[in-house]
Amino acid sequence: MQNLQLLLHGFQTALTFQNVGAALIGAVLGLIVGAMPGIGSLAGVALLLPLTYKFNPTTAIIMLGALYYSNMYGGSFSAILLNIPGDSPAIMTALDGYPMASKKKRPGQALLTADLSSFIGGSIGICILTFTGPALANLGLKFGPSEMTALLLIAMTSISWLVGENPTKGVVITMFGIILASIGMDTLSGVPRYDFGNMYLLGGIPFTPYIIGAVGFSQVIKLIMEREQGKGGAATDMKLTIRGSMITRHDFMRLLPPALRSGFLGTFIGVLPGAGATTGSFMGYAVQKKMKSEEELGTGAIEGIASCEAANNAAAAGAFAPLLALGIPGSGTGAVLLGGLMMWGLNPGPLLFTNEPDFTWGLIASLFLSNILTLAIAVCVIPFLLKILSVPVKYMIPCITVVCVVGSYSSSYSMYGVLIMFLSGIAGYLLNKNDYPTAPMLLSFVLAPLLESNMRKAFIISGGSLDIFFTRPITCVLMVLFFGVVAVPVVKSMMKNKTAGKALK
């Protein structure tokens, strides 16, 4: 009850003209930044931070928080319409969003599904933050290197079965992503690995150009090849209105269960140190893969879009719990926000909720406001976004190429990023042409450095002993789940072979 009273007091702070204006500006900028490949929430918040120096701390953090939060909405726009994820959490959205927009000719419904799921997941995350923020932060503290290793092992094991009907190809492409992620300087010892004497490879494969190329530029190559074969070139003639983008009651009932489930899961993932919205998005999609869906995931299923979009928005909200209650950022963007708080003379920690209630509860209330504002803006711009699909393919190809080049260059500030984008685009096209799913490669590329870092830290703590994975309660439970994930496909395969053998007899 006390939290509700404090939240109402926070709304009095958040609903002033100045703070509403700051939330609106942050929401608009977040949508733009999220939809532009190569920028992302980290660069967006970092670029906007100097503009908030003259603001009071509450107004400044409301603007930055709105930008970070709405960035999760914006990333889905380019993922659904162009198959180019605006940010890493949108990788999962592209798996079903782009097929739904291009193959099923339902781009408006795909965008609206993403917006509604983001709103539902975000609302769940903010509500949980309101009532259990400090408690969640303390729970996140219990996840040390061994717990994070066990959690990431479950995630990595799930990747290979996530996309595609051939598990062998899934394992091969997952291992390929892990090898690429190991290029560069060792994260703990600083020793060069697989650099082949090339100074550019010392920094590893840059993430954003790699993603843009493997997903976006490979699509450009595919469009070129289809156009040469006479399969492309037609512009869409669908009606570009908000009314025409509305989903049916049946569609809403399909998206609601995965959105609710991923909302709770994503919030928990967001609280964990270093996990972030990308891990939340993947875990939400992986869980939905195990659940019943009306359509197969990866073919344009509403459930697929809903599960990952709800999870990444919930994770973004959940990340504020350790940031405010403990002063522990869960991501690079969180680190920039933490720097802003300290710059304004605020010390995040257990006493922040007591010593600065106006600031803390004003920020939490502003997240509710930002969620509503972002949803309204995102729905209103759907007709303008859909006009992208009415552009003929002969104009679309150079436009997407320019977006890929600019996004790759802006993230690395060198032609090295552009070269990586071109090479990964060619590789992505060849893999898709030979029915190798690229999603496992991209996700293993994201998760492998986290897994390596946490695993090595765990072994350093234990002196190289495996006991650390079986003596700590949370780690032990997660390891049991890990072995279960590994065993289930094997048992299913054995049962299937046994049944087939009996049938032949």
Side-chain angles (χ1 to χ4, degrees):
M1 193 64 185
Q2 183 183 5
N3 283 19
L4 281 176
Q5 293 175 345
L6 291 169
L7 181 63
L8 291 174
H9 180 71
F11 273 113
Q12 293 178 358
T13 302
L15 292 177
T16 62
F17 179 78
Q18 183 178 3
N19 290 339
V20 171
L24 182 61
I25 293 171
V28 173
L29 290 176
L31 287 173
I32 296 172
V33 167
M36 295 177 65
I39 299 182
S41 60
L42 174 58
V45 171
L47 290 171
L48 192 62
L49 186 62
L51 302 179
T52 63
Y53 286 165
K54 299 261 175 114
F55 292 1
N56 68 67
T58 304
T59 303
I61 197 65
I62 283 175
M63 180 183 288
L64 295 178
L67 186 149
Y68 173 47
Y69 184 78
S70 63
N71 186 83
M72 299 298 126
Y73 278 80
S76 66
F77 293 169
S78 54
I80 290 172
L81 297 177
L82 301 176
N83 201 25
I84 306 175
D87 207 354
S88 54
I91 294 172
M92 304 309 301
T93 306
L95 295 181
D96 283 281
Y98 186 71
M100 186 174 175
S102 58
K103 295 179 181 178
K104 297 188 176 180
K105 305 299 182 184
R106 301 183 69 196
Q109 286 78 9
L111 289 168
L112 190 59
T113 297
D115 293 339
L116 290 176
S117 303
S118 297
F119 178 79
I120 293 170
S123 298
I124 291 172
I126 299 168
C127 288
I128 294 175
L129 173 66
T130 301
F131 294 101
T132 62
L136 271 179
N138 288 322
L139 175 62
L141 272 184
K142 297 183 184 297
F143 273 71
S146 63
E147 287 81 6
M148 288 301 298
T149 299
L151 181 66
L152 288 166
L153 278 173
I154 295 172
M156 291 291 287
T157 308
S158 302
I159 286 176
S160 57
W161 324 109
L162 189 62
V163 183
E165 298 178 355
N166 191 328
T168 303
K169 288 185 175 181
V171 172
V172 169
I173 205 68
T174 298
M175 296 304 296
F176 183 63
I178 293 173
I179 292 171
L180 289 178
S182 66
I183 295 174
M185 301 292 285
D186 186 301
T187 54
L188 295 183
S189 67
V191 176
R193 300 185 302 192
Y194 308 117
D195 63 310
F196 304 104
N198 189 308
M199 67 174 184
Y200 290 105
L201 289 179
L202 288 173
I205 304 294
F207 172 74
T208 301
Y210 173 68
I211 296 296
I212 291 175
V215 181
F217 191 67
S218 64
Q219 185 65 28
V220 172
I221 299 175
K222 182 181 177 183
L223 288 174
I224 292 173
M225 300 304 293
E226 288 180 348
R227 189 162 182 264
E228 288 181 354
Q229 296 168 10
K231 297 179 182 179
T236 181
D237 57 355
M238 63 183 66
K239 193 176 181 181
L240 308 174
T241 64
I242 295 178
R243 182 184 293 274
S245 302
M246 289 293 109
I247 60 175
T248 64
R249 175 184 172 84
H250 177 66
D251 288 340
F252 181 76
M253 295 309 295
R254 285 177 61 188
L255 74 85
L256 188 59
L260 292 173
R261 188 188 311 114
S262 292
F264 287 99
L265 176 63
T267 304
F268 171 70
I269 296 294
V271 171
L272 302 181
T278 304
T279 307
S281 177
F282 164 70
M283 293 299 286
Y285 194 89
V287 169
Q288 182 57 37
K289 189 77 174 179
K290 305 295 183 183
M291 301 292 177
K292 185 178 180 181
S293 301
E294 188 170 305
E295 300 171 277
E296 183 182 354
L297 265 61
T299 62
I302 287 176
E303 293 87 351
I305 300 173
S307 60
C308 52
E309 279 299 305
N312 67 40
N313 277 264
F320 280 96
L323 178 65
L324 297 176
L326 300 173
I328 299 175
S331 62
T333 308
V336 176
L337 291 174
L338 176 62
L341 293 176
M342 298 176 71
M343 179 186 70
W344 297 312
L346 297 167
N347 295 312
L351 297 179
L352 184 65
F353 282 80
T354 304
N355 296 340
E356 301 288 346
D358 288 346
F359 167 81
T360 307
W361 291 100
L363 170 60
I364 293 174
S366 75
L367 291 177
F368 285 99
L369 176 63
S370 299
N371 201 20
I372 296 171
L373 288 174
T374 307
L375 175 66
I377 297 169
V379 172
C380 289
V381 299
I382 284 178
F384 302 100
L385 293 172
L386 292 180
K387 289 187 182 296
I388 295 173
L389 298 180
S390 64
V391 178
V393 173
K394 64 179 180 180
Y395 300 125
M396 184 80 79
I397 290 171
C399 289
I400 298 177
T401 303
V402 169
V403 171
C404 291
V405 171
V406 172
S408 301
Y409 186 84
S410 64
S411 65
S412 60
Y413 296 104
S414 73
M415 289 305 294
Y416 172 60
V418 179
L419 177 62
I420 291 294
M421 184 272 293
F422 279 120
L423 293 177
S424 62
I426 295 169
Y429 172 74
L430 293 175
L431 288 170
N432 284 322
K433 188 176 180 180
N434 292 281
D435 297 324
Y436 279 87
T438 55
M441 177 181 66
L442 303 179
L443 291 166
S444 61
F445 184 84
V446 174
L447 297 179
L450 288 174
L451 175 62
E452 180 194 7
S453 176
N454 283 285
M455 183 180 292
R456 292 177 64 182
K457 287 175 183 176
F459 280 125
I460 290 171
I461 292 170
S462 67
S465 173
L466 286 170
D467 291 346
I468 192 170
F469 297 108
F470 302 98
T471 54
R472 296 168 67 94
I474 297 177
T475 309
C476 190
V477 171
L478 290 173
M479 289 303 292
V480 170
L481 290 174
F482 165 66
F483 288 119
V485 170
V486 173
V488 166
V490 177
V491 172
K492 281 185 176 180
S493 178
M494 292 174 62
M495 295 293 291
K496 186 177 180 180
N497 291 336
K498 189 175 180 181
T499 305
K502 288 182 178 179
L504 288 174
K505 292 179 180 179

